[in-house]
């Protein structure tokens, strides 16, 4: 079931990429496994998934321990996709290859300090609240470029790109303007910042990843369409 779902997702990713002229092999599919068992995550890895997303540090640590034996340790990169509390930064930098949810300067500083302590340069994405919904985490669109500038001065953080969570809507097409805004924001930041280009755009989930790919997503985060409702 999980293996079959992953095959279907890969096909749909390829078709969406064909529409936007993207190379499908450059798209990273992150299987978001919150609330799923280590066995289910193992099944996804066996079916070819190399990127696992979690939204809680504690849950991620226990799955990481269950799965990061010799079989999987080298094959899998772990992604933090949920809001990260500053006091969890220490554990987070120890297991996550990519922290996608950097949403404040304070959190960035905490990650930088914890990464420095273990001699790591932590890859991150800045989360942007493009829809401006009150309930959402993330930098506001107007503050993202300045935040990127400040955070890129930190020695133990490497900003790879931007992430957003689109609003919940009745038809996927309605998310398109939000994805387009994130892409434009990435371009703007890159124009202002000559040296270090950001090239990761993490956007699109089970219901709207095809729209996101058409708008230039390089990374999609998929939970239900892989693991079931
Ligand atoms: C749960 C989650 C996803 C995956 O959502 P689905 O709709 O199940 O595909 C993606 N991104 C974030 C930040 C999430 O919390």
């Amino acid at each position: 079931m999980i293996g079959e779902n992953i095959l279907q997702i890969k096909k749909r990713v390829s078709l969406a990429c064909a529409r936007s002229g993207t190379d499908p092999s450059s798209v990273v599919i992150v299987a978001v496994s919150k609330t799923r068992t280590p066995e289910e995550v193992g099944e996804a890895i066996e079916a070819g998934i190399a990127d696992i997303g979690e939204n809680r540090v504690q849950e991620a640590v226990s799955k990481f321990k269950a799965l990061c034996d010799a079989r999987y340790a080298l094959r899998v990169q772990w992604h933090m996709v949920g809001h990260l509390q500053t006091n969890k930064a220490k554990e987070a930098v120890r297991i996550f290859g990519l922290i996608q949810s950097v949403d404040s300067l304070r959190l960035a500083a905490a990650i930088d300090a914890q990464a420095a302590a273990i001699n790591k340069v932590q890859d991150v994405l800045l989360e942007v609240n493009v829809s401006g919904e009150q309930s959402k985490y993330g930098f506001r669109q107007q503050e993202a470029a300045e935040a990127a500038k400040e955070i890129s001065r930190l020695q133990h953080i490497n900003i790879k790109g931007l992430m957003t969570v689109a609003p919940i809507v009745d038809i996927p097409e309605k998310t398109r303007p939000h994805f387009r805004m994130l892409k434009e924001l990435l371009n703007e930041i890159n124009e202002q910042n000559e040296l270090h280009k950001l090239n990761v755009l993490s956007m699109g989930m089970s219901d709207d990843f095809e729209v996101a790919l058409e708008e230039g997503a390089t990374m999609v985060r998929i939970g239900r369409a892989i693991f079931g409702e």
Side-chain angles (χ1 to χ4, degrees), residues 41-107:
V41 180
E43 221 180 298
I45 297 168
E46 295 293 346
I49 287 291
D51 294 88
I52 301 292
E54 285 284 339
N55 70 344
R56 293 218 168 91
V57 174
Q58 238 38 63
E59 189 181 336
V61 167
S62 74
K63 271 178 237 181
F64 178 85
K65 283 186 183 147
L67 289 163
C68 267
D69 58 15
R71 265 184 313 161
Y72 296 137
L74 297 175
R75 271 162 59 184
V76 179
Q77 158 143 274
W78 292 74
H79 298 243
M80 177 59 178
V81 300
H83 176 63
L84 179 59
Q85 285 170 299
T86 310
N87 61 4
K88 300 276 169 63
K90 182 173 178 175
E91 278 175 294
V93 300
R94 279 167 171 72
I95 61 169
F96 292 112
L98 182 64
I99 297 175
Q100 300 202 9
S101 46
V102 172
D103 55 9
S104 71
L105 297 178
R106 200 168 89 88
L107 175 60

Side-chain angles (χ1 to χ4, degrees), residues 32 34 55 81 163 165 205-206 221-224:
V32 180
K34 59 183 181 228
N55 70 344
V81 300
M163 180 271 246
V165 178
M205 321 203 311
S206 290
R221 308 179 309 270
I222 301 185
R224 288 165 300 131

Side-chain angles (χ1 to χ4, degrees), residues 89-91 93-94 108-122 155-157:
K90 182 173 178 175
E91 278 175 294
V93 300
R94 279 167 171 72
I111 291 171
D112 182 62
Q114 294 299 341
I118 58 167
N119 254 323
K120 179 181 183 182
V121 176
Q122 176 68 55
Q155 299 282 312
H156 292 270
I157 283 195

Side-chain angles (χ1 to χ4, degrees), residues 3 5 11-12 28 31 48 56 59 88 90 99 108 126-127 154 165 169 179 214 218 220 228:
N5 289 344
K11 273 188 206 149
R12 289 169 62 189
V28 176
R56 293 218 168 91
E59 189 181 336
K88 300 276 169 63
K90 182 173 178 175
I99 297 175
L126 302 191
E127 180 170 359
L154 301 173
V165 178
V169 290
F179 295 144
E214 288 166 7
T218 67
V220 291

